[in-house]
Amino acid sequence: MQKLLVCYKWVLDEQDIKITGDLSLDTSRAKYKISDYDKNAIEAGALLAEQHGVNVEALTFGTAAAKQSLKDALSRGLDKVYWIGDAVAEQADAFVTANVLAAAIKKAGQFDLILCGEGSADSYSQQTAPRLAALLGIPAITFVQQLTVTDGQVTATRKLGDCTEEVTVTGPAVISVLPEINKPRIPGLKQVMGAAKKPSEELAVADLGLAAEALAPKVRSLSVKGYVMDRKKVIFKEADQADNVAKLVASLAQAGLC
């Protein structure tokens, strides 16, 4: 194993998004961050790079705002970041994103493993990694909660509902990881300062040789609404716990929930 790549997305911080009276989203004061799921992918790549003494690079595709992510990404153990800032990303779905990432990867060079988060914190379509693997013509392993690499063999434990599956594949491959695979590091001052000295390279969509149809999304988002859950907020205060359980069951039955 010589070189790793991590794909990540620069997204709005959901903590800063406000739901207005008509359930529309107010993002006027929202800051951006690396998608939480992608932080797990970056950490997985950084740990593998440290274990095997290889380079780990990253690739991100977004609007011009994606440039703001570079310092944070590089402070998390990466050696280099490729970034693509283009207005086409504003409406890009998984189809467009995978096309752009695949073309950029072919331009950037060969990688033994390509790591992604299982989904992004905004759309969470879970399609980008499998699409990317198909475009590159290499295997994809999804829902990975444990990952090891030995002598070029990738062994991954996949979480599938109420069971797990162990898969072994020889790289190159695309791996999408679950949040439970690790706990992302919090960069210290030394890492943040060091990130400024690490290289980054801008790639232009126009230079990737993609046809117009490859940049035309299959799915378009017309609007996004907040979701408000109406709770009954029934409280049972009986001293006898058995009475509380009986009343809870009766209340659920009356509501047709059991």
Side-chain angles (χ1 to χ4, degrees), residues 164-184:
T164 59
E165 175 186 56
E166 189 171 283
V167 178
T168 301
V169 66
T170 301
V174 176
I175 310 290
S176 63
V177 302
L178 294 171
E180 54 259 45
I181 194 169
N182 56 45
K183 183 177 181 180

Side-chain angles (χ1 to χ4, degrees), residues 74-91:
L74 288 168
S75 71
R76 296 176 180 275
L78 301 172
D79 296 300
K80 180 179 179 178
V81 173
Y82 298 91
W83 70 282
I84 306 165
D86 195 287
V88 73
E90 193 70 46
Q91 288 294 327

Side-chain angles (χ1 to χ4, degrees), residues 93-164:
D93 59 358
F95 169 77
V96 173
T97 299
N99 285 334
V100 172
L101 293 178
I105 290 169
K106 291 174 183 177
K107 191 177 182 69
Q110 293 292 321
F111 295 93
D112 298 286
L113 276 186
I114 299 170
L115 299 163
C116 305
E118 190 56 45
S120 60
D122 49 6
S123 60
Y124 202 71
S125 68
Q126 298 178 293
Q127 294 185 33
T128 301
R131 285 180 177 274
L132 182 57
L135 290 168
L136 295 174
I138 59 179
I141 307 177
T142 55
F143 305 110
V144 174
Q145 63 177 12
Q146 189 174 344
L147 181 66
T148 58
V149 179
T150 306
D151 298 328
Q153 288 263 320
V154 180
T155 302
T157 301
R158 305 178 67 223
K159 184 178 181 180
L160 303 173
D162 59 354
C163 66
T164 59

Side-chain angles (χ1 to χ4, degrees), residues 162-242:
D162 59 354
C163 66
T164 59
E165 175 186 56
E166 189 171 283
V167 178
T168 301
V169 66
T170 301
V174 176
I175 310 290
S176 63
V177 302
L178 294 171
E180 54 259 45
I181 194 169
N182 56 45
K183 183 177 181 180
R185 67 191 68 184
I186 299 175
L189 179 60
K190 182 179 179 181
Q191 288 72 39
V192 173
M193 297 295 288
K197 301 176 183 178
K198 293 182 178 181
S200 62
E201 182 178 341
E202 181 178 6
L203 302 176
V205 169
D207 296 334
L208 298 180
L210 292 168
E213 53 266 29
L215 300 175
K218 301 295 184 182
V219 177
R220 287 186 177 273
S221 176
L222 302 179
S223 66
V224 179
K225 295 286 187 179
Y227 179 75
V228 177
M229 182 179 293
D230 186 20
R231 300 178 184 272
K232 291 190 174 182
K233 300 178 182 177
V234 178
I235 300 174
F236 302 100
K237 295 184 177 180
E238 295 294 334
D240 188 339
Q241 293 298 318

Side-chain angles (χ1 to χ4, degrees), residues 4-138:
L4 308 174
L5 182 72
V6 181
C7 298
Y8 73 88
K9 189 174 184 182
W10 189 238
V11 300
L12 285 170
D13 191 334
E14 61 274 8
Q15 293 187 122
D16 300 332
I17 299 174
K18 305 298 181 185
I19 299 176
T20 63
D22 64 355
L23 299 185
S24 61
L25 304 184
D26 178 6
T27 61
S28 60
R29 297 186 179 182
K31 296 179 182 179
Y32 281 78
K33 66 175 183 179
I34 294 174
S35 172
D36 289 335
Y37 302 102
D38 293 336
K39 289 178 184 177
N40 294 108
I42 292 174
E43 181 66 17
L47 289 174
L48 284 173
E50 291 165 2
Q51 292 165 9
H52 297 275
V54 299
N55 279 2
V56 56
E57 300 178 352
L59 170 63
T60 186
F61 166 52
T63 63
K67 187 176 183 179
Q68 301 170 31
S69 71
L70 302 183
K71 190 173 183 179
D72 186 15
L74 288 168
S75 71
R76 296 176 180 275
L78 301 172
D79 296 300
K80 180 179 179 178
V81 173
Y82 298 91
W83 70 282
I84 306 165
D86 195 287
V88 73
E90 193 70 46
Q91 288 294 327
D93 59 358
F95 169 77
V96 173
T97 299
N99 285 334
V100 172
L101 293 178
I105 290 169
K106 291 174 183 177
K107 191 177 182 69
Q110 293 292 321
F111 295 93
D112 298 286
L113 276 186
I114 299 170
L115 299 163
C116 305
E118 190 56 45
S120 60
D122 49 6
S123 60
Y124 202 71
S125 68
Q126 298 178 293
Q127 294 185 33
T128 301
R131 285 180 177 274
L132 182 57
L135 290 168
L136 295 174
I138 59 179

